[in-house]
PDB file of all heavy atoms in Angstrom:
ATOM      1  N   CYS L  66      15.355  62.440   4.801  1.00  0.00           N
ATOM      2  CA  CYS L  66      13.942  62.121   4.649  1.00  0.00           C
ATOM      3  C   CYS L  66      13.574  62.212   3.164  1.00  0.00           C
ATOM      4  O   CYS L  66      13.855  63.206   2.507  1.00  0.00           O
ATOM      5  CB  CYS L  66      13.098  63.096   5.464  1.00  0.00           C
ATOM      6  SG  CYS L  66      11.340  62.938   5.158  1.00  0.00           S
ATOM      7  N   CYS L  69      10.772  65.286   2.642  1.00  0.00           N
ATOM      8  CA  CYS L  69      11.014  66.717   2.813  1.00  0.00           C
ATOM      9  C   CYS L  69      12.494  67.062   2.666  1.00  0.00           C
ATOM     10  O   CYS L  69      12.834  68.229   2.564  1.00  0.00           O
ATOM     11  CB  CYS L  69      10.488  67.186   4.168  1.00  0.00           C
ATOM     12  SG  CYS L  69      11.441  66.562   5.534  1.00  0.00           S
ATOM     13  N   CYS L  99      11.729  61.427   8.112  1.00  0.00           N
ATOM     14  CA  CYS L  99      11.927  62.100   9.390  1.00  0.00           C
ATOM     15  C   CYS L  99      10.697  61.828  10.254  1.00  0.00           C
ATOM     16  O   CYS L  99       9.698  61.309   9.767  1.00  0.00           O
ATOM     17  CB  CYS L  99      12.141  63.596   9.187  1.00  0.00           C
ATOM     18  SG  CYS L  99      10.642  64.475   8.689  1.00  0.00           S
ATOM     19  N   CYS L 102       7.306  63.595   8.935  1.00  0.00           N
ATOM     20  CA  CYS L 102       6.733  62.999   7.724  1.00  0.00           C
ATOM     21  C   CYS L 102       6.210  61.599   8.018  1.00  0.00           C
ATOM     22  O   CYS L 102       5.185  61.186   7.486  1.00  0.00           O
ATOM     23  CB  CYS L 102       7.765  62.959   6.602  1.00  0.00           C
ATOM     24  SG  CYS L 102       8.142  64.610   5.982  1.00  0.00           S
TER      25      CYS L 102
HETATM   26 ZN1   ZN J 301      10.466  64.675   6.378  1.00  0.00          ZN
END
Side-chain angles (χ1 to χ4, degrees):
C66 172
C69 70
C99 72
C102 290

